[in-house]
Amino acid sequence: MTSLRLRPLSARSLVLSLLLGAHPAEIPVRTLVAVAEEHGVSGATLRVALSRMVGAGDLVTQDASYRLSDRLLVRQERQDRELDPTTRPWDGAWHQVVVTTGGREAGRRQELRRELLDARLAELREGVWLRPDNLTRPGWSAATRADTTTLLCHPEEDPSGLAARLWPLDAWQAQATRLLRALREASEPATRITVAAAAVRHLRTDPLLPDEVLPTDWAGPALRAAYADYRAELAGLLGSSAGRS
């Protein structure tokens, strides 16, 4: 656990972790207070965080409960898709996106890059993005469709070697293995939710490559399953706390 160097969650991060993992994303305030105290956050500290989150537009409060704002419900939906991805059998083809327009403003360049990264593409060189064609094609924004050309290709290079050039697979695998071990070994609630939150962040960077190009014993599926188990455990904790409230 020490090798991970994870900071304990703040009260705000704790609330977000609880609500982003809850379906529906609404929890009574008494339950939030009870669960927060089990995770080492005092009721007073939690209430200050809740008030600030409502003011910032992160949460909506009604009938002594808090729920995610519409903006964060969109984030939850995206996170759910990332944690339960849909892949398809791979026939060896690669999805290639080439940026074909120049002179874009900095904000537009950032939006384009974020959209390509969200689609799990990696940049081979400036303006040329690739990945194995084993995921459902994203619905590009109109701006991205205008700025890019999409192709299918079959690189002559060994696909495993190309994947290793495009993604830091060894580093990802090492961190996933550490997180998986920590999640299995942690017993304190505050430690478990801290590791689980780190696991979510790490899984969001999983390139979701086909088995044919991945290192042996890729830890992505195991870490995803371990987090799903933790989320079920947390749902049980929220339910039992609600029953005691």
Side-chain angles (χ1 to χ4, degrees):
M1 178 65 187
T2 55
S3 62
L4 290 172
R5 298 180 181 178
L6 300 178
R7 293 182 178 180
L9 297 186
S10 65
R12 179 182 183 278
S13 295
L14 175 63
V15 171
L16 286 178
S17 292
L18 293 173
L19 283 166
L20 286 168
H23 295 78
E26 182 172 352
I27 302 175
V29 63
R30 290 184 298 177
T31 301
L32 281 172
V33 170
V35 173
E37 288 177 343
E38 291 188 43
H39 287 78
V41 175
S42 71
T45 298
L46 180 77
R47 291 178 187 277
V48 169
L50 291 171
S51 178
R52 289 175 176 171
M53 293 173 77
V54 170
D58 295 329
L59 303 181
V60 176
T61 180
Q62 185 176 4
D63 298 330
S65 293
Y66 286 86
R67 64 173 176 84
L68 294 178
S69 65
D70 290 345
R71 172 174 56 82
L72 289 183
L73 286 173
V74 172
R75 173 177 165 182
Q76 183 190 50
E77 182 180 349
R78 183 174 66 248
Q79 177 176 292
D80 288 345
R81 289 197 305 269
E82 291 168 341
L83 294 174
D84 188 20
T86 300
T87 60
R88 63 187 184 209
W90 185 51
D91 64 2
W94 287 63
H95 181 199
Q96 181 179 15
V97 177
V98 181
V99 180
T100 52
T101 60
R104 298 176 309 282
E105 295 181 355
R108 173 58 199 144
R109 289 198 302 271
Q110 292 174 0
E111 291 173 1
L112 174 60
R113 184 175 184 85
R114 181 168 58 250
E115 199 166 348
L116 294 170
L117 289 171
D118 285 347
R120 300 299 209 277
L121 287 140
E123 194 169 25
L124 178 66
R125 52 157 295 174
E126 185 177 0
V128 179
W129 296 73
L130 291 171
R131 70 156 294 109
D133 190 35
N134 68 320
L135 297 179
T136 301
R137 297 289 183 82
W140 300 120
S141 66
T144 291
R145 290 196 303 271
D147 286 342
T148 61
T149 297
T150 299
L151 310 121
L152 280 179
C153 63
H154 288 79
E156 294 184 354
E157 181 178 341
D158 170 61
S160 296
L162 179 56
R165 288 173 56 200
L166 290 167
W167 289 276
L169 297 180
D170 289 343
W172 196 98
Q173 174 83 329
Q175 179 70 350
T177 301
R178 287 190 289 267
L179 287 165
L180 184 59
R181 183 182 304 116
L183 194 55
R184 288 170 173 169
E185 294 177 353
S187 57
E188 293 295 324
T191 302
R192 286 182 61 72
I193 199 168
T194 298
V195 176
V200 169
R201 292 192 298 271
H202 196 58
L203 286 168
R204 293 182 67 184
T205 66
D206 184 348
L208 301 176
L209 301 175
D211 292 340
E212 292 90 338
V213 304
L214 285 172
T216 304
D217 298 325
W218 184 247
L223 183 60
R224 198 167 284 109
Y227 175 72
D229 290 343
Y230 172 76
R231 191 161 67 176
E233 170 192 321
L234 194 58
L237 176 62
L238 288 169
S240 63
S241 296
R244 294 195 303 268
S245 298

